[in-house]
Amino acid sequence: LIRLLRSHQEIQYVVLSNVATMTTKRRGMFEPYLKSFYVRSSDPLHIKLLKLEILTNLATETNISTILREFQTYVTSSDKDFAAATIQAIGRCASSISEVTDTC
C-alpha cells in the first residue's frame, strides 16, 4: 500500500482512505512508515487532510515529538483550511496522549 502512495492522486486517495481506516485498529502496521504520510506542499487539500488523520491516528508516546514538529510546519501553511485542520489534529493528539497535553 505504501508504494501506491507514489501513484496518481485518485489512487493515492483510495489508498490513504483505507490506511486511515486501518490505523484506527492496527496502528503498529503503519508506524514504521510514518514519514510516508508527511504532507507535501503539492498535495491537494483532501489528500492533506487524510494524511493529517493518519498521522494523528499513528501518534504514540514514542513518536509524538516527531509528529508535533511536523505539525508545526503545517500550521504556518498559507492554506488556512489546512492550517485549521492541523490545529485540530494537534488538539486530538493532546487529548489522546496525556504526556504532551501541556506542550500542545
Side-chain angles (χ1 to χ4, degrees), residues 61-99:
E61 293 85 4
T62 55
N63 65 19
I64 189 64
S65 60
T66 305
I67 291 174
L68 287 177
R69 268 196 306 275
E70 187 68 15
F71 283 179
Q72 283 178 329
T73 62
Y74 301 165
V75 171
T76 61
S77 171
S78 59
D79 183 345
K80 299 304 174 196
D81 292 332
F82 176 59
T86 301
I87 292 168
Q88 290 176 338
I90 292 170
R92 285 193 303 276
C93 288
S95 65
S96 65
I97 302 173
S98 59
E99 288 83 3

Side-chain angles (χ1 to χ4, degrees), residues 4-100:
L4 291 173
L5 292 177
R6 296 186 186 101
S7 300
H8 297 286
Q9 288 180 1
E10 296 82 9
I11 294 171
Q12 199 177 20
Y13 179 79
V14 172
V15 170
L16 288 171
S17 296
N18 284 297
V19 169
T21 302
M22 287 188 266
T23 56
T24 59
K25 300 286 184 200
R26 306 262 326 245
R27 113 177 20 162
M29 186 186 317
F30 294 100
E31 206 171 338
Y33 306 103
L34 191 69
K35 291 185 180 183
S36 299
F37 303 110
Y38 284 0
V39 172
R40 296 187 187 116
S41 58
S42 60
D43 287 338
L45 182 60
H46 63 282
I47 298 290
K48 289 178 180 179
L49 296 177
L50 274 172
K51 287 182 175 182
L52 265 184
E53 180 184 346
I54 292 167
L55 288 171
T56 304
N57 290 347
L58 292 177
T60 63
E61 293 85 4
T62 55
N63 65 19
I64 189 64
S65 60
T66 305
I67 291 174
L68 287 177
R69 268 196 306 275
E70 187 68 15
F71 283 179
Q72 283 178 329
T73 62
Y74 301 165
V75 171
T76 61
S77 171
S78 59
D79 183 345
K80 299 304 174 196
D81 292 332
F82 176 59
T86 301
I87 292 168
Q88 290 176 338
I90 292 170
R92 285 193 303 276
C93 288
S95 65
S96 65
I97 302 173
S98 59
E99 288 83 3
V100 295

